[in-house]
Amino acid sequence: MTKSTRSPDGARADRGDQADIQAVSRVSQILSLFDPATPELTAGEVAERLGLNRTTAYRYCTSLVAAGLLERDPEGGGYSPGGLLLQLGAFAIGHRRVINLAPRHMQSLARATRCSSVLSLWGLTGPVVSRVEENISTAVIVSVRVGSHLPLDAAQSKVFLAYHGDQLSMERLMANLPGPVREELRADVERVRTVGHCSAMSTPGIVAVAAPVFDEYGICATLAIIGPDNTLSMSDDAPELRVVVDTARELTRELGGHYRPDDVDQRAM
C-alpha cells in the first residue's frame, strides 16, 4: 500500500481554485437576490440575506460595481443591476428569439435583392455578425464570416449607435475616436435617426445597407444586405433599401416590437 503526498505548491493551487469557485458562487448568490420586487439592495441587506458580515458584503458589492455588474446609487447608497448585466441579459433574450425567427426573412431578402443578407447583434463594444444568408444566384458572392466584430464605421454599427438604449455608453465608444472621425460618425448617426437606415462602404468596394430590428425592449439586431458597389447603390431611393426596411419591419412585428415611432408604414395607410 502506497501513501500519496501533495507538494506545498499543489496544495496552494488547490486552495486557490477552491477560493475562486467560492467567489464565483458568492457573486451568483448576490446577483440572484435581485428580482422585479427587489430592484435595489444595500450592502447591509445583502449581508443579512446571505449571512455575511457587512465588510465582506460591501467588498463584494464594490467589486461588482467596478466590473459593471452592479451600479451604486450615489445618494441612497443602494445597489442595483449594472449596465453589463442588463446588456448581457438583453443580448441573451434577443439572441434566442431573433436568431430563431430571422432565417426565413433573411432568405427572402437575399433572393429579392440578389445580395447576401446579414443579421448582427450587439456585443460588448460593437455589432457581431450572428447569421448570414448568402445569395447564390450570382457568379460573385459577397459574404462575411459569422462571429465577425464589425467596426464602428460599418452601417450596422451606425444603426446600433443611433437606437441603442444606453446612449451614454455609445457616446463613450465614440469619444475614443480621433476628433474628425468622431464628428463625422456622430453626423452619420444623427442622419440614421432622421431617415431610419444606413448605407455605408466601410470596406473598399463593398456596400452595406442596414436597418434596425426591434423587439419589446428596443433595438435587438440589425438586418443588412451587402454587395459590390457597382451593383448595390447607397442612394436613399434604391429599391434594395426599401426591401431591407420592409423586411426589418416585418421581423420587428414578429418579435412583438414596434418599429421606429416616427416611421410611417405606407402599406398601413
Side-chain angles (χ1 to χ4, degrees), residues 122 125-127 150-155 157-158 161 173-174 177 185 189:
W122 186 260
T125 58
L150 301 178
L152 285 182
D153 62 348
S157 300
K158 294 173 184 178
L161 290 169
L173 281 177
M174 290 189 285
L177 299 173
L185 179 58
V189 169

Side-chain angles (χ1 to χ4, degrees), residues 40-131:
E40 185 174 293
L41 289 167
T42 64
E45 290 170 330
V46 170
E48 180 180 356
R49 297 189 184 199
L50 296 182
L52 303 173
N53 66 58
R54 286 177 177 254
T55 301
T56 300
Y58 178 79
R59 188 170 65 248
Y60 268 105
C61 289
T62 301
S63 297
L64 291 174
V65 169
L69 293 170
L70 292 181
E71 291 180 354
R72 186 175 185 274
D73 182 353
E75 296 182 1
Y79 297 89
S80 59
L84 178 57
L85 197 61
L86 296 175
Q87 179 176 311
L88 292 175
F91 178 82
I93 293 171
H95 182 272
R96 293 191 186 98
R97 296 181 61 210
V98 75
I99 288 294
N100 289 337
L101 294 176
R104 175 173 58 86
H105 297 277
M106 296 177 65
Q107 291 161 8
S108 297
L109 178 60
R111 287 194 300 268
T113 61
R114 296 173 62 83
C115 295
S116 295
S117 59
V118 180
L119 185 78
S120 301
L121 279 65
W122 186 260
L124 291 178
T125 58
V128 178
V129 175
S130 302
R131 188 177 181 90

Side-chain angles (χ1 to χ4, degrees), residues 135-169:
N135 168 45
I136 59 174
S137 63
T138 58
V140 178
I141 298 175
V142 176
S143 188
V144 60
R145 181 174 57 84
V146 171
S148 298
H149 292 254
L150 301 178
L152 285 182
D153 62 348
Q156 296 95 317
S157 300
K158 294 173 184 178
V159 171
F160 268 116
L161 290 169
Y163 294 109
H164 197 285
D166 187 354
Q167 284 296 304
L168 180 58
S169 294

